[in-house]
Amino acid sequence: MGQIDKRNRLDEESFSYRVTKNNTVFIDWQNKQVKILKGKEAKKFLNKINRVRDEKELQLLMAKITGNFKRGNERTVNKNKR
């Protein structure tokens, strides 16, 4: 895993997921929803998470599924501006 995560970003555990009763999976990054999985895609994800060995591998799995969602042009909310 050393070559994949050179900056140790997966140690931060930025990703999390939630599963609804109808097996829809919501994947969050820093408590912001970035991906929704339904149907076969959700079932495949749930099967994969049952085989992961540790939290870092789970983080890598979610990072790969979400893809390159972060492009660097995200705006931060500044509540002081009008």
Side-chain angles (χ1 to χ4, degrees):
M1 184 113 20
Q3 292 294 354
I4 294 172
D5 188 25
K6 292 180 183 179
R7 296 184 291 162
N8 295 322
R9 301 288 290 207
L10 297 176
D11 290 338
E12 297 171 7
E13 298 182 7
S14 300
F15 289 98
S16 61
Y17 70 95
R18 297 170 281 135
V19 182
T20 63
K21 61 183 174 183
N22 63 353
N23 285 335
T24 300
V25 178
F26 296 93
I27 299 179
D28 301 332
W29 178 77
Q30 295 183 348
N31 298 321
K32 296 175 188 149
Q33 182 179 311
V34 293
K35 184 83 171 177
I36 300 173
L37 305 175
K38 295 180 181 178
K40 291 180 184 179
E41 195 175 24
K43 188 175 181 180
K44 186 177 175 182
F45 172 76
L46 293 172
N47 287 333
K48 284 184 179 183
I49 63 168
N50 289 327
R51 294 189 302 257
V52 297
R53 294 172 288 199
D54 57 13
E55 183 64 30
K56 194 167 187 174
E57 191 174 338
L58 178 60
Q59 290 293 311
L60 179 62
L61 175 65
M62 290 187 282
K64 286 182 176 182
I65 287 174
T66 57
N68 188 13
F69 71 91
K70 194 164 193 243
R71 304 245 186 248
N73 60 353
E74 294 81 16
R75 293 182 183 174
T76 57
V77 177
N78 187 347
K79 294 182 180 182
N80 295 331
K81 285 188 175 182
R82 292 183 180 184

